[in-house]
């Protein structure tokens, strides 16, 4: 998906919180956003998740299912944790038995199974945050938006969320996150941007291993969406992607109609 010339302000006479934001969020990418307090990170995440619309500009190509962990999770709901998750599963279109199964599975995964029958309003801050994370992962989203989602989780739940993020991207999902700990998913993120003065500044390219794919397509064929390529000497194109994303990209190329031919795959130093 992508944001083009996006701006957001809360009222015609209010200052712009964000302005001129253009951002590519490719399939399978893990994207980190950072910035100072009040810099507009949560606002940008709400625009990406579709919770708010931009005042100007365009947000396009959002995958069909979005999972979103807000900075403040509205925990005071008149439901137990399991009933809340089951209800959300139903909203996502799951049959009841599958919604019940996934609710139990996600609570178990984040170490919150013991609180399944606890009313949401009685959960501790950390347990409530586990439910917040569980609801975002319920529908195996194609877009996962995490606003300081690790805050308040215990060590094993934090590690589980790290694993869930890597799983989502390996499955071709896009993950966008904000976290105040600079070590969070360090070396795994494909892109890293900083918000400064309402604008987005790239921090650095991915620090992790990169893979270069030399692919040759049938005449006139287009690359699968979200892939940037440079022409290869001798024909075809060269694509450089984060190693953790290379399976998704190769799969997309080989299953394109008509399929691409992969001439070489090389790990970059
Ligand atoms: N619903 C709203 N109505 C009015 N102003 C808002 C609203 N939401 C955000 N803002 C303003 O937008 C600016 C950016 O807020 P935002 O929460 O996006 O920043 P942030 O980078 O996430 O901050 P923090 O690191 O403190 O969480 C702030 O000045 C805030 O007051």
């Amino acid at each position: 998906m992508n944001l083009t010339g996006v701006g957001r302000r809360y009222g015609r006479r209010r200052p712009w919180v964000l302005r001129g934001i253009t951002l590519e969020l490719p399939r399978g990418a893990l994207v980190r956003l950072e910035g100072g307090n009040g810099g507009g990170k949560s606002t940008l995440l709400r625009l990406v998740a579709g919770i708010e619309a931009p005042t100007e500009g365009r947000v396009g190509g959002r995958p069909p299912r979005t999972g979103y962990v807000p900075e403040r999770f509205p925990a005071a709901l008149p439901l137990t944790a399991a009933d809340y998750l089951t209800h959300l599963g139903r909203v996502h279109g799951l049959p009841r038995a599958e919604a019940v199964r996934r609710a139990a599975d996600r609570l178990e995964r984040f170490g919150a199974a013991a609180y399944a029958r606890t009313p949401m309003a009685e959960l501790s801050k950390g347990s409530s945050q586990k439910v917040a994370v569980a609801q975002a992962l319920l529908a195996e989203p194609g877009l996962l938006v995490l606003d300081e989602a690790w805050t308040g989780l215990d060590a094993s739940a934090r590690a589980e969320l790290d694993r869930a993020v890597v799983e989502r991207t390996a499955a071709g999902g896009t993950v966008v996150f904000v976290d105040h700990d600079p070590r969070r998913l360090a070396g795994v993120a494909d892109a890293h941007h900083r918000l400064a003065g309402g604008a987005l500044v790239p921090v650095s390219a991915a620090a992790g291993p990169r893979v270069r794919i030399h692919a040759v397509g049938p005449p006139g064929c287009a690359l699968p969406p979200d892939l940037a390529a440079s022409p290869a000497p001798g024909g075809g194109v060269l694509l450089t992607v984060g190693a953790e994303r290379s399976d998704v990209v190769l799969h997309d190329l080989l299953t394109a109609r008509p399929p691409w031919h992969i001439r070489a795959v090389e790990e970059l130093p």
Side-chain angles (χ1 to χ4, degrees):
M1 67 178 284
N2 47 63
L3 284 70
T4 312
V6 160
R8 179 73 171 117
R9 62 176 168 182
Y10 293 93
R12 282 164 61 93
R13 292 173 190 278
R14 306 288 298 277
W16 289 94
V17 174
L18 303 170
R19 198 92 203 259
I21 304 278
T22 292
L23 178 63
E24 277 293 322
L25 298 170
R27 276 191 70 213
L30 176 58
V31 178
R32 175 186 195 110
L33 296 177
E34 65 171 41
N37 290 133
K41 301 181 296 297
S42 296
T43 302
L44 182 54
L45 291 185
R46 288 195 296 273
L47 296 175
V48 169
I51 305 297
E52 280 180 19
T55 311
E56 64 179 20
R58 204 180 77 85
V59 180
R62 186 181 291 109
R65 289 187 309 281
T66 300
Y68 171 55
V69 179
E71 193 180 10
R72 289 181 203 88
F73 183 58
L77 296 168
L79 290 170
T80 66
D83 286 347
Y84 169 66
L85 293 176
T86 303
H87 171 72
L88 278 186
R90 300 285 284 144
V91 170
H92 282 298
L94 298 174
R96 184 169 171 75
E98 177 62 11
V100 168
R101 191 194 67 73
R102 282 203 202 180
D105 173 82
R106 302 304 188 271
L107 288 171
E108 173 80 41
R109 183 168 181 181
F110 287 96
Y115 314 116
R117 295 279 145 230
T118 304
M120 296 276 287
E122 292 175 22
L123 290 173
S124 71
K125 187 169 176 290
S127 303
S128 167
Q129 188 63 12
K130 289 179 180 182
V131 177
V133 168
Q135 62 79 25
L137 293 167
L138 204 61
E140 297 174 349
L143 171 67
L144 180 61
V145 180
L146 304 173
D147 196 347
E148 298 181 33
W150 289 263
T151 304
L153 296 180
D154 54 38
S156 62
R158 285 199 302 273
E160 195 55 47
L161 181 53
D162 288 355
R163 274 194 287 278
V165 164
V166 171
E167 267 171 34
R168 278 293 84 223
T169 55
T174 304
V175 182
V176 188
F177 76 100
V178 165
D179 195 82
H180 283 297
D181 183 350
R183 291 162 304 175
R184 177 76 50 223
L185 297 167
V188 188
D190 294 296
H192 186 176
H193 304 274
R194 184 194 310 269
L195 271 173
L200 212 48
V201 186
V203 174
S204 66
R210 314 285 289 167
V211 167
R212 184 156 58 207
I213 300 168
H214 183 181
V216 182
C221 67
L223 274 173
D226 292 335
L227 287 178
S230 54
V237 294
L238 291 174
L239 301 148
T240 303
V241 298
E244 69 294 334
R245 233 189 117 209
S246 59
D247 287 350
V248 172
V249 172
L250 286 167
H251 174 268
D252 283 358
L253 292 168
L254 291 167
T255 57
R257 299 258 177 268
W260 287 67
H261 168 62
I262 306 300
R263 195 170 279 177
V265 179
E266 179 195 1
E267 190 165 2
L268 297 177

